[in-house]
Amino acid sequence: MSGDTECLTPTGWKRIDQYDGGPVGQFNPETDLMSFAQPEQYIKKPCKEMLHIKTARGIDQKISLEHTVLVRQVKNEARDGKL
């Protein structure tokens, strides 16, 4: 991730390059709920190449090739006639 990417903490959003430990938001796809948890580990290392993801609806992020991303696909009912 780029340094200006943010993570959610119990006190609000914090830039990832300013993360100094402590719980962060985690999403559980089985329950559809978010909770705060202490990361078991995280990787901080230089990255030569990043993927830039930008959509018309507000997503704008850079991630490394090793990054795992949760994706949820929702179809447009008005356009497709179904969820």
Side-chain angles (χ1 to χ4, degrees):
M1 288 183 263
S2 60
D4 60 349
T5 298
E6 295 177 321
C7 61
L8 183 59
T9 72
T11 59
W13 291 96
K14 181 180 274 191
R15 285 176 52 116
I16 200 74
D17 61 357
Q18 297 173 355
Y19 176 69
D20 56 1
V24 294
Q26 69 174 10
F27 178 74
N28 183 333
E30 293 178 10
T31 63
D32 243 10
L33 297 174
M34 192 279 302
S35 60
F36 291 102
Q38 183 67 39
E40 293 177 11
Q41 63 179 331
Y42 64 94
I43 300 169
K44 183 177 179 179
K45 64 181 182 178
C47 182
K48 293 181 181 180
E49 183 179 2
M50 303 198 67
L51 301 173
H52 187 190
I53 301 169
K54 188 169 185 174
T55 69
R57 297 185 183 252
I59 294 174
D60 187 359
Q61 64 185 52
K62 292 180 183 176
I63 59 174
S64 69
L65 298 174
E66 298 90 3
H67 197 90
T68 301
V69 179
L70 177 67
V71 177
R72 182 174 185 177
Q73 182 177 351
V74 178
K75 295 191 178 199
N76 184 323
E77 186 174 359
R79 184 190 69 209
D80 301 331
K82 58 187 171 188
L83 291 176

